[in-house]
Amino acid sequence: MSPDITRESAASIANALSRKEVSAVEVTQAHLDRIGAVDGDVHAFLHVDTEGALAAARDVDARRAAGEELHVLAGVPIAVKDIAATQGVPTTVGSRILEHWIPPYDATIVTRLRAAGMPILGKTNMDEFAMGSSTEHSAFGPSHNPWDLDRIPGGSGGGSAAAVAAFEAPLAIGTDTGGSIRQPAAVTGTVGTKPTYGGVSRYGIVALASSLDQVGPVSRTVLDAALLHAVIGGHDPMDSTSIDAPVPPVVEAARRADVKGMRIGVVKELGGEGYQQGVRTRFEESVQLLVDAGA
């Protein structure tokens, strides 16, 4: 385990917690300290729930000490895009119209995060009412790309991607209508996925376009994204568009090391003009690795 636990993946943190090498309070405090150190420049967060996050972490530590069987991600902190209702915690959707709204209920995904024992660090910045693709259009000011503060982190969920890229959180929740998880992930060098429509409940999520919106994970590794998807995914009777079927074995798929015989689609146009040489080189190397592995 690295001396700086904020640099570890969610899976690594989860393993350290289960082995009692570190406490949930220590993990959560480390990330809160990181937020305090860098978020003045990054502005990934609109609200940091220090008290709530530490209370959740203390509960996890007490239950683990009592020998209770916990979720694999219990004690791993997370940031939540400020488009999801969080009981007792401000939910603004990046707008001063809702600046003082304190929801009396949790979105289904938030209920599932809490049930898994994941301390919620706070709410992340976004384009106002998710109308944007850069997180420059939040009523509370823009977020910045941690790799270059003069650049955007993408949007509308740039705050979630920036928080993960800046090591302020190992995991985050985003929402994607036309790219608001995937585009910030590409811009910040993180992993972002838009699950199949209906695969994750939208109950308690402020809608941009209900027929397209979907909630999904933001992380730094594919495995971490799968682990989070397994928490938030699944049928929800509160969402009429929710798929009434089990969550696919995404964690098993992410852990699979052998890609031989796997069919993988490659968008050849991504190797064309207009890309920086480093990006093009990594793309070409990745394609060759797949070919060599027999995919």
Side-chain angles (χ1 to χ4, degrees):
M1 177 62 62
S2 166
D4 185 357
I5 200 165
T6 64
R7 301 289 170 141
E8 297 290 337
S9 68
S12 293
I13 293 172
N15 288 335
L17 285 165
S18 67
R19 293 193 297 265
K20 299 182 181 179
E21 296 174 356
V22 67
S23 71
V25 168
E26 289 172 327
V27 172
T28 301
Q29 188 63 62
H31 285 90
L32 290 169
D33 290 345
R34 175 68 178 173
I35 292 169
V38 305
D39 205 57
D41 293 325
V42 178
H43 195 212
F45 284 86
L46 293 179
H47 177 80
V48 178
D49 187 17
T50 300
E51 182 178 337
L54 289 173
R58 285 192 293 269
D59 179 66
V60 167
D61 285 338
R63 289 161 55 200
R64 180 168 278 122
E68 184 176 335
E69 185 175 346
L70 302 176
H71 189 279
V72 65
L73 290 180
V76 178
I78 189 168
V80 175
K81 185 178 179 179
D82 202 26
I83 200 170
T86 42
Q87 185 175 11
V89 178
T91 299
T92 70
V93 202
S95 175
R96 294 200 182 276
I97 295 172
L98 294 178
E99 185 173 5
H100 302 295
W101 185 48
I102 309 294
Y105 70 102
D106 280 331
T108 294
I109 60 153
V110 174
T111 298
R112 292 177 177 177
L113 294 174
R114 296 194 199 279
M118 301 180 69
I120 296 174
L121 297 167
K123 308 297 289 296
T124 55
N125 199 12
M126 57 180 289
D127 288 302
E128 188 168 6
F129 290 109
M131 295 181 183
S133 56
S134 63
T135 314
E136 293 175 287
H137 306 293
S138 165
F140 304 99
S143 292
H144 303 279
N145 194 314
W147 302 109
D148 183 342
L149 295 174
D150 291 328
R151 297 178 184 271
I152 63 166
S156 64
S160 288
V164 172
F167 304 101
E168 297 176 82
L171 295 167
I173 291 292
T175 61
D176 191 314
T177 302
S180 291
I181 293 175
R182 295 162 292 168
Q183 184 247 35
V187 171
T188 60
T190 53
V191 176
T193 58
K194 180 181 183 179
T196 298
Y197 183 76
V200 180
S201 173
R202 292 183 296 110
Y203 176 75
I205 305 296
V206 180
L208 172 61
S210 293
S211 61
L212 295 171
D213 297 344
Q214 189 54 227
V215 182
V218 180
S219 65
R220 290 192 294 270
T221 74
V222 172
L223 176 58
D224 286 358
L227 289 166
L228 179 53
H229 179 89
V231 174
I232 62 175
H235 179 63
D236 178 17
M238 299 295 288
D239 178 357
S240 63
T241 63
S242 178
I243 298 172
D244 189 2
V247 178
V250 290
V251 175
E252 178 184 337
R255 292 189 189 278
R256 178 176 171 178
D258 181 13
V259 297
K260 188 174 182 179
M262 188 182 297
R263 296 183 65 187
I264 299 174
V266 176
V267 182
K268 294 182 179 179
E269 288 80 2
L270 293 179
E273 297 298 321
Y275 293 88
Q276 291 183 339
Q277 184 57 48
V279 174
R280 187 182 299 112
T281 298
R282 289 297 297 273
F283 172 75
E284 292 169 352
E285 289 174 347
S286 298
V287 172
Q288 189 59 50
L289 284 171
L290 290 171
V291 172
D292 294 342

